[in-house]
Amino acid sequence: MAPIALLPFLILNLAVATAAPPLRPRFYEKTCPEAEHLVRDVIKKNMEREPRSAASVNRLQFHDCFVNGCDGSLLLDDTSNMLGEKLSLSNINSLRSYEVIDEAKETLEGVCPGVVSCADILIMAARDAVVLSGGPDWEVKLGRQDSLTASQKDADDIMPSPRANASYLIDLFRKFNLSAKDLVALSGSHSIGKGRCFSIVFRLYNQSGTGRPDPAIDPIFRENLDKLCPRGGDGNVTGGLDATPERFDNQYFKDLMNGRGFLNSDQTLFTYPKTRQYVRLFARNRDEFLKAFVEGMIKLGDLQSGRPGEIRQNCRVVNSRPVDELM
């Protein structure tokens, strides 16, 4: 994992966001009163077609907000003079469901053109994916603008690897004013969804360069993973991140306690003392998990860069006006 050299600069930018208009609930109640309902309807229809889209959509908020704030930069396609975030190490062949956000944007543009930002759509969609999977509902703060650019390098420098351990993750989250408890709660987003064999083969066959499997994996679970992800097999084969990958619940934490975490970055939350207490708390008390998860998602959504922005007409490209005019 490359050193996070840009983080001091990014944190400074996030602090500057206090000068921007404050985010607030029901931001579009006068300009586009049906916005939240329409986004949820799009998410629901897509989940009916492809249940896995719920987890994919929910992950988009984290991957967007950790890189220069929640500004929709993740959604920009590469151009001849810009390498965006979609092909970064943490996103390529991993993030999905961009087309779901496209559909939500197209729906909103048909009702209230030029009003709702792609960045806000991501926040609404992430919440709705959780709600429609049986998780908690909460009021999201809105009013973001869309970024004018994106950076693959920024994403590479910031986003953690599936191999990351809890100590590294605690330090990373702290830079964004997110606590160890926030880290564990937000990791609970892995209550839904699947992961690729590519992300865990090192755990099965060469943990920390030992040539042996991760000793923290439950032996029976490891046998199942060996069958799913054989040495030299297809790295794109997927397995559930917990035992109930289509239902948002606290099974994920129960699995971690039993050595059945899919990703190294998940299982290390239980093997590391500073995060183990929260894994146990959330495994024992579903309501505590749901409360902490909502708090973490709101704090994550508050990250802003303070940079100039716009309301994109298409989430994949900046508007046709020259960038210097927008600046």
Side-chain angles (χ1 to χ4, degrees), residues 105-118:
K105 178 61 173 175
E106 183 178 358
T107 299
L108 290 172
E109 285 296 300
V111 176
C112 39
V115 173
V116 183
S117 69
C118 300

Side-chain angles (χ1 to χ4, degrees), residues 61 138-139 141 293-303:
Q61 175 174 339
W138 66 95
E139 196 168 46
K141 290 186 281 185
F293 179 80
V294 169
E295 290 174 353
M297 289 292 280
I298 292 172
K299 290 166 73 173
L300 182 63
D302 283 342
L303 298 177

Side-chain angles (χ1 to χ4, degrees), residues 1 4 7 10 66-67 154-160 168 172 176:
M1 188 70 181
I4 309 180
L7 276 175
L10 292 170
F66 249 43
V67 183
D154 285 358
D156 285 340
D157 287 344
I158 295 165
M159 295 304 298
Y168 173 87
L172 173 61
F176 292 89

Side-chain angles (χ1 to χ4, degrees), residues 27 48 66 213:
F27 182 84
E48 290 171 351
F66 249 43

Side-chain angles (χ1 to χ4, degrees), residues 136-165:
D137 200 349
W138 66 95
E139 196 168 46
V140 291
K141 290 186 281 185
L142 304 169
R144 298 165 188 81
Q145 290 191 320
D146 297 320
S147 67
L148 306 177
T149 188
S151 169
Q152 181 178 316
K153 185 178 186 304
D154 285 358
D156 285 340
D157 287 344
I158 295 165
M159 295 304 298
S161 160
R163 302 189 182 201
N165 61 39

Side-chain angles (χ1 to χ4, degrees), residues 28 31-40 42 101-118 120-122 124 313 315:
Y28 299 108
T31 55
C32 191
E34 292 298 306
E36 294 193 52
H37 170 76
L38 292 172
V39 171
R40 183 167 295 192
V42 169
I101 305 302
D102 292 337
E103 183 179 342
K105 178 61 173 175
E106 183 178 358
T107 299
L108 290 172
E109 285 296 300
V111 176
C112 39
V115 173
V116 183
S117 69
C118 300
D120 276 347
I121 292 174
L122 275 182
M124 290 184 272
Q313 297 170 337
C315 291

